[in-house]
Amino acid sequence: VHFWVLTITWEGLRNALLVATRLILLIFGSSLMTLTATPLQLAAGLERLMQPLKKIKVPVHDISMMISIALRFIPVLLEETDRIMKAQKARGADFEEGRLMEKLRSLVPIFVPLLLSLFRRAEELALAMESRCYRGDVGRTQMNVLRFQRSDWLALGVLVLFVLGIIGLRWLPGLFTLIGRGFGITL
C-alpha cells in the first residue's frame, strides 16, 4: 500500500510484528522476573548461571553485584526524580508547556540535581561497602545455596520454547504471503 510518502509492505508488517512481539515479551519477561524475585535472589541466580564463565576469568560476582545494585537503585531513582520535580514545580517550573526543545530545556533543572544526588548515593554506598571490608568474591560463602528443582527446569523449558518461537518467527518469510493470499491479495 502506498500512502503519501509511506509505503507499507508485507515484509515491513512482518518485521514490525516481529519487533513488537520481541519488545512485548521482553517487557513481560523482565516484569515477571523482577516482580517474583528479590534483587538478592536475582543476583544469586545470575551468579549461579554464569559460574562456567569463571573458567575464562569473567568477573561473575562483580557483574551480578552491579546488576543487583542497579535493580535496587531504580526505585530510589524514581523517588528522587519525583521529589526534585515537585520541588521545581513549587518554584514555578512548568514541564508541560512549549515545544519539544523548550520541554527538554525545562528538564535540565531536574537532571543536574538528580545526577548530583545519584553520585552522592553511589559514593555513600561505596563507603559503606568499603567500611564493611567488602572484597568481592574472595572468601565469600552463601547462606542459601541455590539448586535447580523441577519447577526451575519447567520454567527453563518454557523460556527455551519462547526463545525458539521468536527465532522461528524470523524464518517464516511466507507467513504474510499466505495471509495475503487468503484475503485475495497478490504480491
Side-chain angles (χ1 to χ4, degrees), residues 75-181:
V76 172
L77 175 70
L78 294 175
E79 287 176 15
E80 194 72 23
T81 303
D82 186 49
R83 186 182 63 78
I84 292 171
M85 284 185 79
K86 285 179 181 175
Q88 293 295 344
K89 283 182 181 179
R91 292 183 182 108
D94 188 16
F95 301 113
E96 287 86 26
E97 295 294 320
R99 294 188 217 155
L100 180 63
M101 287 306 292
E102 293 170 358
K103 287 181 182 179
L104 290 175
R105 281 191 199 115
S106 70
L107 292 178
V108 172
I110 293 174
F111 288 130
V112 173
L114 182 63
L115 283 175
L116 290 174
S117 173
L118 290 177
F119 283 132
R120 181 180 41 81
R121 287 183 187 264
E123 185 177 6
E124 289 172 359
L125 178 63
L127 288 173
M129 290 171 76
E130 188 177 314
S131 67
R132 290 178 176 89
C133 298
Y134 179 77
R135 294 173 289 154
D137 201 17
V138 179
R140 185 175 165 265
T141 60
Q142 292 184 350
M143 187 168 137
N144 298 320
V145 180
L146 300 177
R147 303 249 186 260
F148 259 83
Q149 298 174 356
R150 183 182 295 175
S151 60
D152 297 323
W153 287 109
L154 179 66
L156 185 61
V158 170
L159 176 68
V160 167
L161 288 176
F162 271 125
V163 169
L164 290 176
I166 294 300
I167 292 171
L169 284 176
R170 184 75 174 154
W171 285 289
L172 288 174
L175 178 66
F176 280 97
T177 305
L178 292 174
I179 293 171
R181 286 184 187 154

Side-chain angles (χ1 to χ4, degrees), residues 31-43 71:
S31 296
L32 182 65
M33 183 178 62
T34 56
L35 290 172
T36 58
T38 65
L40 285 176
Q41 291 171 332
L42 289 174
L71 286 174

Side-chain angles (χ1 to χ4, degrees), residues 9-11 13-14 172-187:
T9 63
W10 286 109
E11 183 69 21
L13 287 174
R14 186 180 76 81
L172 288 174
L175 178 66
F176 280 97
T177 305
L178 292 174
I179 293 171
R181 286 184 187 154
F183 288 113
I185 302 169
T186 57
L187 300 174

